[in-house]
Amino acid sequence: MAPVSVLVIGAGQRGTGYARWAGRHPDRASVVAVAEPREVRRARLAAEHGIAAGNAAADWRQLAGRGRLADAVLICTQDRMHAEPAEAFAALGYHILLEKPMAPDEAACRRIVAAVEQAGVMLAVGHVMRYTPYTRAVKQVVEDGQLGDIMSVQHLEPLGFWHQAHSYVRGNWRRADLAASMLMAKSCHDLDWLQYILGRVPLRVSSFGSLTHFTAANRPAGAADRCVACSVEASCPYSAPRLYRGLLDRGEHRWPLSAVIEDFSAGALDEALRDGPYGRCVYACDNDVVDHQVVALEYPGATTATFTMTAFSKAAGRSTRLFGTRGELAGDGQTIRVYDFLTRAERLITPPPTGGMTAADGHGGGDAGLMDAFTAAVASGNPELIRSGPRESLASHLAVFAAERARLNGTVETIPVADRLR
Ligand SMILES: NC(=O)c1ccc[n+]([C@@H]2O[C@H](COP(=O)([O-])OP(=O)(O)OC[C@H]3O[C@@H](n4cnc5c(N)ncnc54)[C@H](O)[C@@H]3O)[C@@H](O)[C@H]2O)c1
């Protein structure tokens, strides 16, 4: 079978990563064009994939204006720049891998689904957690009935103190009006994952949470607006120089350092810490997304679940406990323990190791799993291979919107029947 030809829209962290999967699997996919306004990123991706100058554009509209150049498109622009290219490329007949969130508002998510359905093209949303060997193993336990009926779920996302500071205080996802709510930007994966594992869409949701710590009110006495000029930097756990110089010194030239500098040199980092967004004091930024949040969910079958996201942790993988009528499952993203009430025996399941769960590690095999499934679906014309298609992704996005409304308004939100059934 000929490799699937793809366009990459946005040669940032995600676009570069997916393109590299294609580079490692030339029999499966080939990157034939790129759109990226930043010259350094565009040139780097074009060089890595042997893309001719005429196929390296500054804006996705230039590629869309040329009709259908490839089988598929990978849309990896920022959160608020997903809907427009998704609709345009669907109309041109491209199959689409679209990064999550589909869009930061409900109407745009629905427009994307309508566009792909009308065009008859495939859509895979970047819910990479659905594609890991770990998730496959958890789902197998659930589907085999080993737990009986799942009655309660406890799911934790210990985001981590430095990850919050990097992405959600200083970085691209710090403000809901520039990106999306925290629940949508980060934890849409979690509500989607619960929906996938339970095989059900929630009936009702409520939520509490706020931005509490990373505010001007908590700024220590003597703190400066920038860490490099700060007299109390040495005692601050959120020091930017400590985080980024540590990464540079250890040669960790990838995310999160790659979001701060393009050129991995001490001089470039000094400049970024002095002048760029990632050198700011965490108590003197323009952030507004929450630093801790809890969501309570009720599913058909009277199953209840709680989800907690917190910045105030060692950055670690998500952990889950599923409590059923016949057994209990505990998973930490790497290993799974299943306790059987009948035999009182515990079974340990260790899915094949795939590295850590961070973006730098490829999300525990999820990034590769998504590209594998998406390109196989396009090559074979079989949308069933995609586990994060338009309808299931829309349903989990709608649950996120409902939970965020519940947090903001202090309500219990009911997911409309029409959306639950789809
Ligand atoms: N699936 C996941 O687990 C996961 C993880 C991280 C981020 N994301 C999502 O992926 C998306 C991209 O995130 P990222 O970290 O790669 O961001 P990024 O900022 O590194 O990359 C986005 C790129 O899009 C480019 N761009 C801007 N305007 C453009 C245009 N008109 N045409 C073409 N390109 C344009 C930017 O210059 C930038 O290089 C975001 O929506 C993010 O929320 C998903």
Side-chain angles (χ1 to χ4, degrees):
M1 219 177 288
V4 170
S5 55
V6 300
L7 314 183
V8 174
I9 305 301
Q13 311 298 319
R14 305 298 298 162
T16 302
Y18 291 131
R20 284 190 181 144
W21 184 92
R24 289 194 302 275
H25 300 86
D27 52 325
R28 304 284 308 282
S30 87
V31 182
V32 297
V34 59
E36 165 61 54
R38 293 201 218 174
E39 225 253 301
V40 180
R41 292 182 169 191
R42 184 171 69 241
R44 189 172 53 211
L45 194 138
E48 269 184 37
H49 298 274
I51 296 170
N55 280 347
D59 186 340
W60 63 265
R61 292 171 190 83
Q62 291 165 256
L63 297 183
R66 291 170 52 192
R68 191 162 174 203
L69 304 173
D71 302 315
V73 60
L74 315 180
I75 301 179
C76 303
T77 40
Q78 276 296 342
D79 299 5
R80 290 187 174 262
M81 301 178 61
H82 288 177
E84 211 192 328
E87 288 179 89
F89 285 108
L92 289 166
Y94 282 87
H95 300 294
I96 300 174
L97 186 158
L98 175 63
E99 258 309 347
K100 52 55 55 182
M102 296 167 80
D105 67 273
E106 233 179 273
C109 292
R110 291 184 194 276
R111 282 205 314 275
I112 293 169
V113 172
V116 298
E117 288 184 348
Q118 197 179 355
V121 297
M122 291 183 233
L123 173 73
V125 176
H127 285 305
V128 292
M129 282 170 64
R130 287 190 181 225
Y131 296 88
T132 64
Y134 168 81
T135 295
R136 203 172 310 132
V138 173
K139 192 153 172 68
Q140 193 71 51
V141 171
V142 171
E143 285 183 349
D144 288 351
Q146 295 173 45
L147 305 177
D149 294 331
I150 296 173
M151 300 315 302
S152 311
V153 178
Q154 196 184 53
H155 184 66
L156 172 70
E157 181 179 20
L159 181 69
F161 67 101
W162 66 260
H163 190 173
Q164 176 88 21
H166 172 78
S167 296
Y168 304 97
V169 178
R170 299 181 172 116
N172 290 334
W173 294 274
R174 69 191 182 279
R175 285 169 63 117
D177 64 343
L178 299 178
S181 65
M182 171 62 95
L183 198 65
M184 183 55 89
K186 191 73 182 90
S187 312
C188 70
H189 282 308
D190 298 279
L191 266 55
D192 181 75
W193 190 81
L194 291 175
Q195 175 184 311
Y196 181 61
I197 291 297
L198 295 172
R200 281 168 275 172
V201 173
L203 299 168
R204 298 194 299 166
V205 292
S206 66
S207 180
F208 302 93
S210 55
L211 169 63
T212 306
H213 183 69
F214 299 100
T215 66
N218 292 308
R219 182 174 168 145
D225 285 352
R226 290 198 163 265
C227 298
V228 286
C230 182
S231 62
V232 295
E233 180 266 330
S235 62
C236 178
Y238 305 102
S239 155
R242 187 180 313 115
L243 171 60
Y244 300 118
R245 284 186 182 139
L247 293 167
L248 188 68
D249 290 349
R250 292 193 299 276
E252 294 181 31
H253 297 175
R254 51 197 170 102
W255 184 88
L257 190 59
S258 57
V260 181
I261 45 176
E262 305 279 358
D263 158 29
F264 296 103
S265 68
L269 182 53
D270 286 347
E271 192 183 321
L273 291 172
R274 198 175 55 240
D275 303 323
Y278 293 96
R280 293 181 291 173
C281 170
V282 290
Y283 305 104
C285 290
D286 56 347
N287 55 310
D288 66 8
V289 299
V290 304
D291 49 28
H292 64 297
Q293 183 166 2
V294 61
V295 181
L297 307 105
E298 180 189 41
Y299 292 84
T303 303
T304 57
T306 55
F307 164 65
T308 298
M309 183 293 296
T310 186
F312 308 106
S313 65
K314 179 180 168 186
R318 285 134 163 132
S319 59
T320 311
R321 293 178 78 181
L322 303 176
F323 304 95
T325 52
R326 299 189 66 86
E328 176 184 335
L329 177 149
D332 63 2
Q334 307 284 334
T335 55
I336 300 160
R337 290 172 192 281
V338 181
Y339 179 81
D340 186 314
F341 299 163
L342 192 63
T343 61
R344 300 196 177 191
E346 185 173 84
R347 191 160 63 88
L348 183 68
I349 304 170
T350 44
T354 47
M357 273 310 292
T358 67
D361 301 318
H363 295 115
D367 293 358
L370 171 59
M371 277 297 282
D372 179 35
F374 176 66
T375 53
V378 173
S380 64
N382 180 7
E384 300 289 310
L385 299 175
I386 295 171
R387 275 169 248 160
S388 51
R391 286 287 158 189
E392 53 271 35
S393 299
L394 177 62
S396 64
H397 278 62
L398 294 177
V400 172
F401 289 125
E404 192 57 8
R405 276 198 306 278
R407 182 183 76 84
L408 292 170
N409 303 330
T411 49
V412 175
E413 295 284 322
T414 300
I415 314 280
V417 174
D419 294 326
R420 287 207 305 266
L421 295 179
R422 284 175 178 177

